[in-house]
Amino acid sequence: MEYWLKVFFIDNQEVKLENTLKHFISDDLEVLEITTSDQVLIVPMRQIKYIACDSKIFQQT
């Protein structure tokens, strides 16, 4: 399933990815890894202010 993910940086720039397949924070909490249908992005956590994503990826129980 593809979903949108928006990353807001500490310098007030933002990036919106429309075709995200998965995203996760590394075990050492140093980087955010984002996999899209055409690329893999690795962003240092210290550069991120916050992250927003499509709520449809969280299933209701």
Side-chain angles (χ1 to χ4, degrees):
M1 170 182 17
E2 291 186 352
Y3 56 94
W4 64 261
L5 180 80
K6 209 179 234 190
V7 181
F8 297 88
F9 296 97
I10 58 174
D11 62 356
N12 293 326
Q13 292 187 13
E14 63 184 63
V15 101
K16 185 173 183 181
L17 303 163
E18 297 284 343
N19 55 351
T20 306
L21 297 172
K22 67 177 179 175
H23 68 282
F24 63 93
I25 298 172
S26 66
D27 291 338
D28 59 2
L29 304 176
E30 291 289 321
V31 296
L32 170 70
E33 184 174 320
I34 305 166
T35 304
T36 66
S37 58
D38 57 343
Q39 63 184 340
V40 174
L41 299 165
I42 298 177
V43 183
M45 287 299 292
R46 63 179 171 261
Q47 293 181 356
I48 298 173
K49 188 184 289 185
Y50 64 93
I51 302 163
C53 68
D54 188 359
S55 63
K56 290 184 281 188
I57 67 169
F58 300 106
Q59 292 186 358
Q60 299 285 328
T61 58

